């Protein structure tokens, strides 16, 4: 079995939910059987348009702009982990350091991704998508062959 080296960081770092409280996902992480196939590369959390989006962990903002017509914020954490948030109307800027729980922006207008307004929250290690619920001690561990 193989785990990304960054998985050890998940245990050692303080993480928090990207929305106030403990939201119940409306759609879970569904990794594709092959990296190039379709799947759901994150979780969807119910949210209201304009609700504050919080940094799940300490790091540096690497993306805070529109991508493909919707607002995206990405935070790079230690050891190469990245968390992604969309749609977000960013109040942070690229290169800005953020702490766990710091406001990144607000949930943007619905974009058709969810039946209702939601926040799509993702976790990436290198080029491998992981279940962001792992940061909260929940979620699917993805095992790869040796």
């Amino acid at each position: 079995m193989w785990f990304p080296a960054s998985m050890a960081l998940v245990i050692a770092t303080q993480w928090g939910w990207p929305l106030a409280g403990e939201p119940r996902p409306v759609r879970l992480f569904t990794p594709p059987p092959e990296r190039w196939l379709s799947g759901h590369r994150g979780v969807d959390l119910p949210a209201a348009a304009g609700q504050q989006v919080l940094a799940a962990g300490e790091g540096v903002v690497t993306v805070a702009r529109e991508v493909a017509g919707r607002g995206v914020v990405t935070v790079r954490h230690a050891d190469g982990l990245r968390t992604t948030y969309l749609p977000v109307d960013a109040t942070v800027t690229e290169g800005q350091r953020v702490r766990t729980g710091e406001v990144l922006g607000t949930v943007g207008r619905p974009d058709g991704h969810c039946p209702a307004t939601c926040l799509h929250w993702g976790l990436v290690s290198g080029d491998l998508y992981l279940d962001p619920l792992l940061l909260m001690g929940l979620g699917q561990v993805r095992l790869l062959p040796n």
Side-chain angles (χ1 to χ4, degrees):
M1 290 183 223
W2 177 87
F3 292 91
S6 56
M7 289 312 297
L9 180 69
V10 168
I11 297 165
T13 303
Q14 180 178 355
W15 299 97
W17 287 101
L19 297 170
E22 292 186 25
R24 294 179 63 123
V26 294
R27 187 171 176 200
L28 296 172
F29 175 73
T30 309
E34 299 292 341
R35 290 183 194 209
W36 59 86
L37 295 174
S38 65
H40 192 242
R41 293 170 171 86
V43 297
D44 293 337
L45 303 173
Q51 184 175 349
Q52 289 185 332
V53 176
L54 312 173
E58 182 178 325
V60 176
V61 176
T62 57
V63 176
R65 63 178 179 272
E66 269 201 18
V67 176
R70 55 186 166 176
V72 175
V73 173
T74 299
V75 177
R76 181 182 37 117
H77 307 281
D79 200 21
L81 279 180
R82 297 184 316 276
T83 50
T84 59
Y85 313 80
L86 61 129
V88 176
D89 296 326
T91 56
V92 291
T93 57
E94 293 175 7
Q96 181 177 337
R97 286 196 73 55
V98 293
R99 294 179 176 211
T100 304
E102 188 169 334
V103 175
L104 300 174
T106 57
V107 175
R109 68 190 184 286
D111 62 4
H113 176 77
C114 291
T117 306
C118 74
L119 175 71
H120 179 83
W121 181 34
L123 176 64
V124 184
S125 176
D127 63 353
L128 180 66
Y129 287 87
L130 302 171
D131 187 341
L133 295 179
L134 291 169
L135 301 177
M136 307 311 298
L138 309 166
Q140 300 178 38
V141 175
R142 184 169 179 186
L143 303 176
L144 301 176
N146 289 333

